[in-house]
Amino acid sequence: MNDRELFETYKSQVYHLCYYMMQNRSDAEDLCQEVFVKAILADRSQVRDLKSWLLRIASNECNSVLRRRKNGWAKELSAYLLTRPGPSNPVEENLDQQEIRMEFERMYGKLPDKIRMVVTLRYVNGMTVPEIANVINIPEGTVKSRLNRGIKLLKKMPGLKKKEMIGNESVL
């Protein structure tokens, strides 16, 4: 696979991981670019699973930036949730949906970084537990534990009926 094919094939998945971890578009774009620069400069001849390899690079880059700037910046609405097509409902229902998404993003942003990483890989990137374990280089049991803890933390947060937060694709 040449460099352009690599980028075109995986850019969306890498960007979504970076976006959900950083919760800032410009940071996600910068990190996504860094990931592909590193991938293009690296020797890929021994890489068996390009998706996992790229997401591991992205995960490491995000964690490095988060460690350096543990406190600070305000959070944006999640691009993934905002760009999903909504049903053609009356205005009131659309406003309700927007409020639910904003509340979910606020709650999601409160999750610890390690938990947010596995939740993002599972429910945004659609990866399996073994794939997540491979990407962030932790045991499968730890992945399951973090997913379970993330769901429990979201359920404990006040304010919403959690099943409404992400429509029919509810994870709670």
Side-chain angles (χ1 to χ4, degrees), residues 23 75-78 81 99-111 116 154 157-160 162 165:
Q23 296 188 344
K75 295 169 179 77
E76 290 181 26
L77 289 177
S78 166
L81 292 175
E99 287 176 14
I100 289 168
R101 286 180 180 160
M102 289 172 65
E103 182 66 14
F104 177 73
E105 195 282 331
R106 183 189 64 74
M107 292 166 52
Y108 186 79
K110 290 182 178 181
L111 291 176
R116 192 168 64 230
L154 286 170
M157 292 181 190
L160 289 178
K162 306 310 186 287
M165 288 191 308

Side-chain angles (χ1 to χ4, degrees), residues 22-167:
M22 305 310 298
Q23 296 188 344
N24 180 292
R25 285 185 187 175
S26 61
D27 289 342
E29 290 167 357
D30 291 345
L31 284 169
C32 190
Q33 183 177 8
E34 276 296 312
V35 168
F36 283 102
V37 166
K38 286 185 177 197
I40 288 168
L41 295 175
D43 176 22
R44 298 189 304 260
S45 61
Q46 302 298 318
V47 177
R48 287 184 285 182
D49 185 1
L50 286 173
K51 178 181 174 182
S52 292
W53 180 69
L54 282 170
L55 291 175
R56 179 179 293 181
I57 294 171
S59 150
N60 290 338
E61 288 296 312
C62 290
N63 284 331
S64 293
V65 170
L66 288 170
R67 267 193 306 274
R68 284 192 301 263
R69 74 160 101 117
K70 193 67 181 163
N71 298 316
W73 37 269
K75 295 169 179 77
E76 290 181 26
L77 289 177
S78 166
Y80 177 73
L81 292 175
L82 288 177
T83 58
R84 290 177 55 191
S88 56
N89 292 334
V91 175
E92 289 179 18
E93 285 189 37
N94 286 335
L95 287 174
D96 288 344
Q97 287 281 351
Q98 186 176 11
E99 287 176 14
I100 289 168
R101 286 180 180 160
M102 289 172 65
E103 182 66 14
F104 177 73
E105 195 282 331
R106 183 189 64 74
M107 292 166 52
Y108 186 79
K110 290 182 178 181
L111 291 176
D113 296 339
K114 289 179 179 181
I115 292 174
R116 192 168 64 230
M117 174 70 74
V118 295
V119 170
T120 300
L121 290 170
R122 176 69 182 102
Y123 297 107
V124 175
N125 292 86
M127 298 182 79
T128 64
V129 170
E131 289 172 329
I132 295 168
N134 184 37
V135 166
I136 57 178
N137 202 24
I138 61 173
E140 289 182 28
T142 304
V143 172
K144 291 177 186 177
S145 167
R146 289 180 184 175
L147 283 171
N148 188 35
R149 184 160 178 238
I151 290 169
K152 284 182 180 177
L153 285 171
L154 286 170
K155 283 182 178 180
K156 285 182 183 177
M157 292 181 190
L160 289 178
K161 296 176 189 165
K162 306 310 186 287
K163 289 194 179 219
E164 291 178 349
M165 288 191 308
I166 47 181

